[in-house]
Amino acid sequence: FLSNQHYSGKQLPGPAQNARLALHIALSLRAAQQREGNWEPANQGRSLRYTCHALEALHLLGLPAFDNLLDLGQNWLMNLSEDIHEESEEWVSVRLHPSRFKTLARLARFGERQVLAEFDELRSRISAQGLLNNVIHDPLLGSIIVCDCLLDLQEQDAMPPSGAELLERILP
């Protein structure tokens, strides 16, 4: 995404350097966003991860100037590609990717019916030992991301019905 060729704020004081870097990141993200709302369209899995990272970064900046980018990206993340068939392995690795749910939770877009139904499918793939199985390559990393998502939802008082039980299963 980012190139540091336009960012050289070493002469500026700390806060000004941080502000300049944040602006550079936001402008780079805006330039890289695709018309559909996602980032890095070459492959669905990579596009999902990049889009999640970009949306969370823009959300953290909290600038109204980027609301359009956030809305477009959130809509892409909510709907994803309709070209992915539900029975395919890609459907599982993309639509059920825990980062998708974590980002939607951070952006307060978790309560949509479709998202809750897909999260319920994700929840069914978490073992009694708290590991997320058959979604992403690393079951422990998947569980950590789900835990992060649930903690965000808990902080927002938006925990899904099975969320507290799931959090208790994952945390140990």
Side-chain angles (χ1 to χ4, degrees):
F1 272 157
L2 303 174
S3 141
N4 64 0
Q5 73 186 44
H6 300 294
Y7 176 73
S8 59
K10 292 180 182 165
Q11 303 83 354
L12 299 173
Q17 238 180 345
N18 291 342
R20 189 169 178 185
L21 177 60
L23 177 63
H24 178 71
I25 290 170
L27 293 174
S28 295
L29 289 173
R30 182 176 69 182
Q33 188 178 34
Q34 304 300 301
R35 187 177 332 134
E36 296 80 21
N38 61 316
W39 280 264
E40 186 58 45
N43 135 331
Q44 284 283 3
R46 188 176 308 139
S47 186
L48 174 84
R49 288 188 307 276
Y50 286 3
T51 300
C52 288
H53 295 310
L55 290 173
E56 288 188 34
L58 289 169
H59 176 72
L60 282 173
L61 290 174
L63 299 173
F66 298 110
D67 286 350
N68 240 11
L69 297 176
L70 283 165
D71 289 342
L72 192 58
Q74 288 174 54
N75 288 333
W76 182 85
L77 198 57
M78 293 286 298
N79 300 311
L80 292 173
S81 174
E82 294 179 5
D83 298 336
I84 303 174
H85 298 289
E86 192 168 336
E87 296 82 30
S88 75
E89 186 177 309
E90 190 175 39
W91 187 89
V92 171
S93 66
V94 173
R95 288 200 80 87
L96 298 184
H97 198 289
S99 291
R100 176 177 177 240
F101 298 106
K102 178 183 71 100
T103 299
L104 290 171
R106 288 249 159 94
L107 302 174
R109 290 290 302 268
F110 194 85
E112 309 274 337
R113 191 177 70 205
Q114 172 189 340
V115 173
L116 290 171
E118 290 168 351
F119 186 76
D120 198 44
E121 170 66 25
L122 177 82
R123 183 192 54 74
S124 74
R125 293 168 181 263
I126 296 178
S127 71
Q129 294 76 29
L131 292 175
L132 177 61
N133 295 307
N134 304 319
V135 176
I136 65 174
H137 179 69
D138 185 341
L140 181 58
L141 177 61
S143 295
I144 290 169
I145 297 169
V146 171
C147 186
D148 194 23
C149 171
L150 291 169
L151 291 171
D152 277 349
L153 291 170
Q154 186 176 51
E155 188 175 296
Q156 299 169 18
D157 291 325
M159 186 73 89
S162 61
E165 176 271 326
L166 187 57
L167 193 56
E168 286 182 30
R169 189 172 357 141
I170 295 172
L171 281 175

